[in-house]
Amino acid sequence: MSELSHVDGEGRARMVDVSAKSDTTRIAVAAGELLTTAEVVALVRADDMPKADVLSTARIAGIAGAKKTSELIPLCHQLALSSVKVEFGFTDNTITIEATAKTKGPTGVEMEALTAVAVAGLTLHDMVKAVDPAATLNGVRLLTKEGGKHGHWVRPEHADSTGHAKVQESSSAAESSAVVLVASTGAAAGTRVDTTGPVLAEWLTGLGFSVRGPLVYADADIAVGLADALRFEPALVISTGGTGASPTDATPEATLAVLTRELPGVAEAIRQRGTAKFPLAALSRGVAGLAGRSVVVNLPGSPGGVEDGIAVLEPLLDHLLAQVAGGGNHDNN
């Protein structure tokens, strides 16, 4: 049995001495969700709460909370944080929260990421309590961490009653991780509300995926967004937006730069389905393919384009992911 790191040989609390550890880049991602009402979700998405600018306030609070973690958690070390990112998504009755903390140093940033989620969630609660005093902050948890002696760690998606990961025998959607990436300069700046990313996240969650995001990036930063989305080697990355002919639409170029193999039939099927109803759908330049073992698919940034993408992808995903994992059945019988 492993020993508790913050307890000494005599059972007393202590701060761990990290002076002998080497400095490495360390990243942690944490998540949580505020369970509330559909009315509150609609108000927040429309930025129409009595306390305005709900998400911006909660985002700033989460970042500030991460920076003060060592003051709030007594045995945490003071860290020079390189970056803290707090992002939100929506389902019918929840506001999802995801925080990514990064540093270069001798100890990890898990507590900073968790604190960011907790403080952002509590701030959301404060902002919505006039409408829903029964809102509940749930599921504050670490998703991934990397760096240091133990390297890369991902939260088990399926665990038994003891908390240990179950052994999985296939690579179906219900056992996979997915990332939703939104290319939108307006949504990244907070001047418009993205409606496509949450739809994709809710759809993938319903299929049994463990979903990260929506991650929202400006069009000019979509290459950085793709690197972020692929950082933990998810089974699937679906982007929305930035596939048109505008000079700022750069999602296909950024995607082609990371693909190791293309899946042109998938992208073409999505275009054909859209064009059958809306001729301008032919202007989408979205691509699909593999970045290592991650399937990456570009969808347009319109609700109709996302609807078409879902219709094409849903019957393909299980077989596609099984093939990528090496378990696909190529028999013709």
Side-chain angles (χ1 to χ4, degrees), residues 228-271:
D228 185 8
L230 290 166
R231 185 172 61 199
F232 301 116
E233 300 179 355
L236 177 65
V237 175
I238 300 183
S239 72
T240 169
T243 65
S246 167
T248 60
D249 288 333
T251 300
E253 287 77 14
T255 304
L256 287 169
V258 301
L259 293 185
T260 52
R261 300 171 70 187
E262 286 191 63
L263 296 169
V266 174
E268 192 55 39
I270 294 169
R271 258 188 297 276

Side-chain angles (χ1 to χ4, degrees), residues 41 45 89-94 96 180 195-209 211 213-214 310:
V41 171
R45 294 183 73 164
F90 301 95
T91 67
D92 288 342
N93 62 349
T94 64
T96 62
V180 175
T195 59
T196 55
V199 170
L200 286 168
E202 186 172 0
W203 167 61
L204 290 167
T205 299
L207 292 180
F209 283 90
V211 180
I310 288 173

Side-chain angles (χ1 to χ4, degrees), residues 34-37 39-40 43-44 49-51 54 95 121-136:
L34 187 76
L35 177 64
T36 181
T37 65
E39 177 190 9
V40 165
L43 288 170
V44 172
M49 290 291 296
K51 296 182 179 182
V54 175
I95 303 172
L122 290 172
T123 302
L124 286 175
H125 193 293
D126 179 49
M127 300 288 280
V128 309
K129 66 185 180 186
V131 181
D132 179 22
T136 307

Side-chain angles (χ1 to χ4, degrees), residues 63-214:
I63 293 170
K67 293 165 68 175
K68 290 185 173 290
T69 299
S70 65
E71 298 177 33
L72 299 170
I73 313 296
L75 300 179
C76 283
H77 298 82
Q78 292 179 324
L79 298 181
L81 291 169
S82 311
S83 69
V84 180
K85 183 185 295 185
V86 179
E87 298 162 318
F88 303 98
F90 301 95
T91 67
D92 288 342
N93 62 349
T94 64
I95 303 172
T96 62
I97 311 156
E98 182 177 289
T100 303
K102 183 176 181 180
T103 190
K104 186 172 184 180
T107 191
V109 285
E110 300 96 312
M111 295 309 302
E112 284 71 16
L114 288 163
T115 301
V117 170
V119 174
L122 290 172
T123 302
L124 286 175
H125 193 293
D126 179 49
M127 300 288 280
V128 309
K129 66 185 180 186
V131 181
D132 179 22
T136 307
L137 181 61
N138 292 326
V140 178
R141 62 204 183 275
L142 184 67
L143 297 182
T144 63
K145 65 175 182 175
E146 62 179 86
K149 180 175 67 175
H150 298 294
H152 181 54
W153 177 89
V154 178
R155 184 180 191 84
E157 294 169 359
H158 299 271
D160 60 23
S161 59
T162 67
H164 294 95
K166 293 180 180 178
V167 175
Q168 303 298 319
E169 296 179 354
S170 66
S171 300
S172 68
E175 299 156 353
S176 300
S177 58
V179 179
V180 175
L181 176 64
V182 176
S184 171
T185 301
T191 58
R192 64 175 292 269
V193 176
D194 167 57
T195 59
T196 55
V199 170
L200 286 168
E202 186 172 0
W203 167 61
L204 290 167
T205 299
L207 292 180
F209 283 90
S210 172
V211 180
R212 180 173 171 234

